[in-house]
Amino acid sequence: MLDEWKREHKIRKVLRGLARQRVAMILQPQGVWVIERALQRDEETEAALMTCHMRGWVEPLHDSMPTGDLTSDMKLPLGQLFTRTQTVFRLTEGGWSALNRAHAWTVAGIVIAVLSLIATIAVAS
């Protein structure tokens, strides 16, 4: 049970991290995006992204986007900038709803409305 909660927490954390990303600039002439606050992609993050994709919360925006990392002192590396390729994802409407927990708020509103109706009928009787 606790392990399942931790996995769901990690999935939500990755979803929030994906929502925080932004394009800072576009490198020319290849048109490569420089993404601020990019997700640190490891095996666990990839699994969470695939779970989000399976649930319909994210969808691939670009496949095989050239990717590289800054050095530890936050500068461009000397030599080759891009060391791998990765898929860039975007949040879907369902992903934004999951992030904002819109479903939970809708259910809570319905429950409050039904309880208010019952209380009104009970008082009127």
Side-chain angles (χ1 to χ4, degrees):
M1 180 73 175
L2 186 60
D3 188 44
E4 184 176 332
W5 181 84
K6 285 182 181 180
R7 282 191 196 157
E8 288 298 320
H9 180 71
K10 175 64 177 178
I11 291 167
R12 301 275 180 179
K13 186 176 177 183
V14 167
L15 201 59
R16 283 190 305 272
L18 192 63
R20 282 190 221 105
Q21 293 182 142
R22 60 182 172 239
V23 177
M25 67 177 76
I26 301 172
L27 297 179
Q28 296 301 330
Q30 295 93 356
V32 176
W33 295 356
V34 176
I35 300 176
E36 291 180 338
R37 304 182 79 174
L39 291 173
Q40 292 298 317
R41 307 274 283 263
D42 57 14
E43 201 171 301
E44 194 175 331
T45 303
E46 289 296 323
L49 277 170
M50 292 301 106
T51 301
C52 291
H53 186 228
M54 181 180 64
R55 292 177 180 177
W57 294 349
V58 299
E59 65 184 11
L61 188 59
H62 289 287
D63 282 325
S64 301
M65 179 70 89
T67 307
D69 296 317
L70 297 175
T71 61
S72 58
D73 58 351
M74 303 303 287
K75 294 186 179 180
L76 289 174
L78 298 174
Q80 191 170 358
L81 292 177
F82 308 114
T83 56
R84 61 193 181 283
T85 60
Q86 289 180 332
T87 301
V88 176
F89 290 93
R90 75 173 201 93
L91 265 70
T92 62
E93 196 68 32
W96 285 109
S97 293
L99 252 181
N100 296 322
R101 301 194 189 257
H103 178 72
W105 283 109
T106 303
V107 170
I110 291 170
V111 168
I112 290 171
V114 168
L115 291 175
S116 297
L117 180 64
I118 291 170
T120 303
I121 292 171
V123 170
S125 299

